Amino acid sequence: EAGVTQSPTHLIKTRGQQATLRCSPISGHTSVYWYQQALGLGLQFLLWYDEGEERNRGNFPPRFSGRQFPNYSSELNVNALELEDSALYLCASSLRGANVLTFGAGSRLTVL
Amino acid sequence: QQPVQSPQAVILREGEDAVINCSSSKALYSVHWYRQKHGEAPVFLMILLKGGEQKGHEKISASFNEKKQQSSLYLTASQLSYSGTYFCGFRNSGNTPLVFGKGTRLSVIA
């Protein structure tokens, strides 16, 4: 069974540009979570989608946005990139209402 | 609100024990522990629900003190394979997201 897949693995952008990161959950999982892992800050919660709806949002500015598609895959968009957006972005999925998250390997975003 | 984890880092020799603590300023619904090895995705270890229960996973166990809003992860007779960063995560209710602490970097040396 395929795990959570994320693309791209690496992405390099310059300040002010936009980045789009993608996530495919495990088959049958309807909940998708996005976390930012910047150096020294741990796993910071960004967004939670379930059944196509945004369920919750972390303490990030509005230029961080996303969506979940009918096939439960998800996209994270970061507009007007800033240097401090450089981080590993992790996507996780779970069954609806379940507590166990399965993480993908992440997308490393570098902003120059 | 992010859980507070301690210590930030610990170095152990094989066979030694360690305890990682995690605390919250809010009432907790569940506590989750994950381990992330270098360059890999975080992997689920265990979950503890309200009730002060203790759970185990190989020689790794955890407790949850609901009154004190704290959880501890116990690693006994550590092995080289235990090296990694351990994250605790808290949920305040069934409808709130899983919020993680900053992690504890554990290094086990021979």
Side-chain angles (χ1 to χ4, degrees):
Chain A
E1 180 186 87
V4 178
T5 56
Q6 291 187 244
S7 64
T9 309
H10 293 90
L11 189 60
I12 299 175
K13 294 283 187 178
T14 56
R15 278 172 52 188
Q17 285 189 313
Q18 185 218 15
T20 298
L21 309 176
R22 295 179 179 85
C23 172
S24 291
I26 289 174
S27 177
H29 285 192
T30 61
S31 288
V32 170
Y33 309 79
W34 287 96
Y35 289 87
Q36 182 196 65
Q37 188 172 25
L39 203 62
L41 296 179
L43 301 169
Q44 302 218 279
F45 168 71
L46 265 164
L47 290 159
W48 173 16
Y49 291 98
D50 183 57
E51 300 275 347
E53 301 283 328
E54 184 180 295
R55 289 288 304 274
N56 215 302
R57 181 184 177 83
N59 190 22
F60 280 83
R63 57 192 187 81
F64 286 83
S65 65
R67 52 182 170 164
Q68 187 178 34
F69 299 99
N71 66 353
Y72 304 117
S73 67
S74 177
E75 199 173 83
L76 174 69
N77 294 295
V78 189
N79 292 320
L81 284 166
E82 299 179 3
L83 296 177
E84 53 264 34
D85 296 335
S86 293
L88 181 68
Y89 289 84
L90 290 163
C91 170
S93 73
S94 76
L95 293 167
R96 187 158 203 260
N99 280 303
V100 179
L101 271 56
T102 303
F103 282 86
S107 292
R108 183 159 300 278
L109 173 65
T110 302
V111 183
L112 303 174
Chain B
Q1 205 154 8
Q2 197 171 31
V4 177
Q5 261 186 262
S6 64
Q8 287 186 330
V10 59
I11 300 173
L12 297 174
R13 292 201 177 273
E14 266 186 301
E16 289 183 338
D17 302 340
V19 180
I20 300 171
N21 298 304
C22 206
S23 64
S24 170
S25 57
K26 289 186 172 183
L28 298 175
Y29 168 76
S30 61
V31 178
H32 309 235
W33 287 94
Y34 284 73
R35 177 173 64 202
Q36 184 180 31
K37 300 205 171 189
H38 184 68
E40 297 180 10
V43 172
F44 172 76
L45 288 177
M46 66 189 78
I47 180 174
L48 300 98
L49 301 176
K50 288 199 296 188
E53 63 182 290
Q54 186 147 350
K55 277 197 160 184
H57 174 82
E58 298 173 345
K59 290 181 184 174
I60 302 173
S61 62
S63 64
F64 177 19
N65 187 321
E66 188 186 335
K67 254 187 178 177
K68 292 186 176 180
Q69 292 154 195
Q70 291 174 346
S71 179
S72 295
L73 186 72
Y74 307 93
L75 299 104
T76 57
S78 58
Q79 306 166 17
L80 294 174
S81 61
Y82 286 2
S83 293
T85 301
Y86 289 78
F87 292 98
C88 69
F90 290 161
R91 263 204 156 114
N92 297 118
S93 77
N95 292 319
T96 56
L98 186 54
V99 179
F100 289 98
K102 291 187 179 180
T104 296
R105 179 174 284 181
L106 181 82
S107 301
V108 181
I109 57 176

